Amino acid sequence: MIGRLNHVAIVVPDLAAAAGLYEESLGATVSDPVPLPDHGVTTVFVELSNSKIELLHPLGENSPVANFLANNPSGGMHHVCYEVQDIHAAIEHLENQGARVLGDGKPRTGAHGLPVVFLHPKDFCGTLIELEEVA
Ligand code: CO
């Protein structure tokens, strides 16, 4: 059911410092910071030949990553995102398997303008999983 690894998201305390590490120490191509106010994060996209890394920093009052950063002050891996072809079919399959879809269980528009859902980390080896529907 899952296809490509779309991205790995890493929450960081200092976006400029993290972007610098990826650019200078790791020699990667990084974007300028992109504010995504609807998602409560500012993101730096790190382009890899086979996937992406998204460096996330809280933006605004009710950022979904603010608690994570409070609990992990030096940052850490937040979620992995796998691509699916049909998100509604994926949700139905997962619910039949007993997995919990977070929120109201319905897809919402993710950071790339595509439908996404998140799966409960306790159901998947302690890892928050995002599924993104790609055309
Ligand atoms: Co993501």
Side-chain angles (χ1 to χ4, degrees), residues 60-134:
E61 293 286 303
N62 295 308
S63 173
V65 300
N67 280 345
F68 183 91
L69 191 56
N71 293 330
N72 303 274
S74 27
M77 203 199 81
H78 186 261
H79 65 267
V80 296
C81 177
Y82 302 121
E83 297 180 353
V84 295
Q85 294 293 317
D86 180 338
I87 203 160
H88 290 97
I91 291 167
E92 186 179 355
H93 173 76
L94 285 157
E95 287 179 340
N96 287 337
Q97 297 289 314
R100 289 167 286 181
V101 176
L102 297 184
D104 63 4
K106 305 254 183 317
R108 61 183 185 82
T109 301
H112 311 129
L114 295 168
V116 304
V117 289
F118 286 87
L119 308 179
H120 200 300
K122 290 202 169 140
D123 295 338
F124 290 97
C125 317
T127 304
L128 179 60
I129 292 178
E130 178 180 21
L131 299 178
E132 181 173 283
E133 183 176 273
V134 294

